Amino acid sequence: MSKANVKKRPAQTEHTALGAKKKIKTADEVLLKVKALAKRVREDPILSRTLSDLQLPHSCREVVDKNADSVLDEVESTIYQVAQQILNGEGFSYGIPSRAKGNQMYIPELDRIVLKDSKSQRPFASTSTCRKAVITTRILQLIHELCLKRIHVTKRDLFYTDVKLFEEQGNSDSTLDDVACLLGCTRSSLHVVASEKGVVVGRLTFREDGDLIDCQRMGVGGKAIPPNVDKVDSIQSDALFILLVEKDAAFMRLAEDRFYNTYPCIILTAKGQPDVASRLFLRKLKDTLKIPVLALVDSDPYGLKILSVYMKGSMNMSYDSSNLTTPDIKWLGVRPSDLDRFNIPEQCRLPMTEEDMKTGKRLMEEDFVKANPEWIKELEIMVQSKVKAEIQALSSFGFQYLSQVYLPLKLQEGDWI
């Protein structure tokens, strides 16, 4: 009996895959609903609203891009204020905007997380904050030097300028965010960038610091997203949509299959948790090209968390959400409801851990998730079934099932939320 089951399972899988493939129409027909979505995006662009437009009853903090001279002025002004406090006998202290969760809130009108205006003092005279005050001063000094020299460094470079003081990179990284918030500017304005992580491939050309980049000629690995997105301009594309992919493995499959040739698109991944450069680059593409963004993530709570960071912003960088978030990304897949709909084999469905369950339930309580009933419905399916699945589960039907069946069928049916 067990042998019969073993023989039967591949036949069932093949039959399921073949049945789905027969539903795929021509490329033009597949793209009809995508074209309709792209037209709506072009004709009804989301108006850029700011906190000041809303006249909220409480004040919130939002940062802006600043040039090197403006950042220099802010640094010098901050140090001058500290010196004045010392001369006045008030002591050496920084008033740092709080980035704690209690000082953050979701604004439905903006559809993103923002930072409220609460501050906490960082006095040098206190044993609990003395070292943080010194690190803050050192970071301000380094930022001043970078802006004077008009050069950029990575966060890792910054850490190695004073390893003895910083001890670990997390200390310099978090203080860098504090300083950006303190100076009222984006982190990229500080001339400190993260190392290259994200990659892009497909129907896209742009200039990076004057050099012409053609993303259709970058091979399977794609073009690394520049850490300094400010140097990207002359963006051009005939793509109908941007496909945002969570994982590198799925990105490589789509790139090698030249998915973007059959279905004109730009494929982008940050290889997991999105870095600042990838988030800035995606926002720049969406604002410039005015085409929809469709997301392909794992069917688990962390896939949805990654998607929410792109859309609503992260708690850690809520002060810069106006620049880092890309509103109205459509969740294409892999959704919990897809597991039964596409008959994903049981052996490819993974049991959710206790931590997965907690994360899923916490997500259902988030204001930005509650604002989308279809997201709640998908999360309920996930939590009730207690199973999750990776994008790679689709490979059980064949290595090219993702590019040749699953995605074309989802696009053809307009099956996104």
Side-chain angles (χ1 to χ4, degrees):
M1 188 174 180
S2 60
K3 288 182 178 178
N5 287 341
V6 170
K7 289 179 180 177
K8 190 177 180 182
R9 197 172 286 161
Q12 287 177 331
T13 299
E14 186 178 338
H15 176 74
T16 301
L18 188 62
K21 193 168 186 177
K22 285 181 178 178
K23 296 178 182 178
I24 307 296
K25 300 178 182 178
T26 65
D28 285 339
E29 290 175 301
V30 166
L31 291 168
L32 283 176
K33 292 191 176 180
V34 179
K35 288 177 179 177
L37 176 63
K39 185 180 179 183
R40 288 198 299 273
V41 170
R42 283 194 305 272
E43 292 177 352
D44 301 311
I46 296 174
L47 296 176
S48 180
R49 303 179 73 183
T50 64
L51 286 169
S52 57
D53 296 330
L54 301 180
Q55 297 181 337
L56 297 173
H58 40 261
S59 58
C60 294
R61 177 175 290 268
E62 213 163 38
V63 299
V64 295
D65 273 318
K66 293 183 180 181
N67 59 33
D69 289 332
S70 296
V71 174
L72 283 170
D73 289 342
E74 293 289 350
V75 172
E76 291 167 5
S77 175
T78 299
I79 296 299
Y80 175 79
Q81 288 174 17
V82 170
Q84 195 68 49
Q85 288 173 9
I86 295 170
L87 291 173
N88 291 341
E90 298 169 7
F92 173 16
S93 180
Y94 293 103
I96 304 291
S98 171
R99 293 188 292 116
K101 187 172 182 178
N103 195 41
Q104 300 174 357
M105 65 184 299
Y106 172 70
I107 306 291
E109 295 89 344
L110 301 177
D111 196 22
R112 56 183 168 84
I113 299 167
V114 300
L115 193 67
K116 292 189 282 189
D117 207 25
S118 176
K119 289 185 180 182
S120 60
Q121 288 300 313
R122 190 169 289 180
F124 178 74
S126 170
T127 54
S128 62
T129 57
C130 173
R131 192 162 166 276
K132 284 186 177 180
V134 174
I135 292 176
T136 304
T137 306
R138 181 68 167 132
I139 294 290
L140 284 166
Q141 178 198 358
L142 292 168
I143 296 305
H144 192 269
E145 181 182 344
L146 291 172
C147 291
L148 271 178
K149 294 181 176 178
R150 301 297 199 269
I151 59 174
H152 291 77
V153 298
T154 65
K155 293 193 294 181
R156 194 67 175 167
D157 289 327
L158 196 75
F159 165 66
Y160 273 109
T161 58
D162 205 331
V163 177
K164 192 173 182 180
L165 173 63
F166 299 142
E167 291 185 349
E168 56 185 46
Q169 190 174 333
N171 291 329
S172 56
D173 285 356
S174 62
T175 305
L176 189 68
D177 285 326
D178 288 339
V179 167
C181 207
L182 174 66
L183 303 180
C185 64
T186 61
R187 201 174 73 184
S188 56
S189 300
L190 303 180
H191 286 222
V192 181
V193 297
S195 299
E196 292 179 349
K197 183 188 176 192
V199 286
V200 62
V201 74
R203 312 280 276 254
L204 173 69
T205 62
F206 60 87
R207 288 194 177 275
E208 181 187 352
D209 205 17
D211 296 327
L212 181 63
I213 306 295
D214 186 347
C215 293
Q216 282 185 280
R217 299 182 178 182
M218 290 294 158
V220 177
K223 165 72 175 77
I225 292 173
N228 188 1
V229 179
D230 291 339
K231 293 189 177 182
V232 172
D233 56 23
S234 304
I235 296 172
Q236 294 186 338
S237 175
D238 64 348
L240 290 174
F241 63 99
I242 299 167
L243 183 60
L244 178 63
V245 181
E246 177 187 348
K247 288 185 171 177
D248 191 33
F251 175 90
M252 289 179 66
R253 175 77 274 128
L254 295 168
E256 188 173 38
D257 291 348
R258 300 293 191 270
F259 180 79
Y260 51 82
N261 284 340
T262 308
Y263 308 104
C265 66
I266 299 164
I267 308 172
L268 184 151
T269 183
K271 303 178 185 179
Q273 191 67 28
D275 57 309
V276 170
S278 297
R279 292 162 65 187
L280 285 170
F281 189 72
L282 178 64
R283 175 63 184 261
K284 193 162 192 170
L285 289 182
K286 174 80 184 286
D287 287 348
T288 304
L289 301 174
K290 293 181 171 56
I291 55 177
V293 181
L294 307 178
L296 177 68
V297 298
D298 286 342
S299 178
D300 63 21
Y302 301 102
L304 190 52
K305 277 188 78 173
I306 285 171
L307 177 53
S308 70
V309 169
Y310 281 109
M311 293 178 66
K312 322 295 179 187
S314 64
M315 293 291 186
N316 191 43
M317 297 192 70
S318 55
Y319 66 90
D320 198 9
S321 63
S322 61
N323 299 295
L324 291 172
T325 55
T326 302
D328 199 31
I329 297 177
K330 303 298 183 184
W331 185 9
L332 185 65
V334 176
R335 301 205 304 272
S337 58
D338 288 343
L339 303 190
D340 285 340
R341 186 188 163 208
F342 285 87
N343 296 309
I344 301 299
E346 289 297 326
Q347 64 266 30
C348 297
R349 306 186 189 197
L350 307 173
M352 289 176 67
T353 65
E354 190 176 329
E355 189 59 37
D356 290 334
M357 294 293 291
K358 287 180 182 177
T359 303
K361 289 174 181 177
R362 278 198 299 266
L363 273 170
M364 292 171 70
E365 295 302 316
E366 294 285 358
D367 291 334
F368 63 83
V369 174
K370 287 179 179 177
N372 192 329
E374 290 179 305
W375 281 32
I376 290 288
K377 194 182 298 181
E378 293 289 345
L379 274 168
E380 285 176 345
I381 293 172
M382 186 189 299
V383 171
Q384 287 168 11
S385 66
K386 297 182 180 180
V387 295
K388 59 184 179 179
E390 297 181 356
I391 300 169
Q392 282 69 43
L394 298 167
S395 297
S396 62
F397 299 120
F399 292 123
Q400 294 179 301
Y401 186 83
L402 173 66
S403 59
Q404 295 182 357
V405 181
Y406 178 79
L407 286 176
L409 196 58
K410 297 279 280 185
L411 296 174
Q412 179 177 296
E413 296 176 353
D415 186 18
W416 50 71
I417 58 176

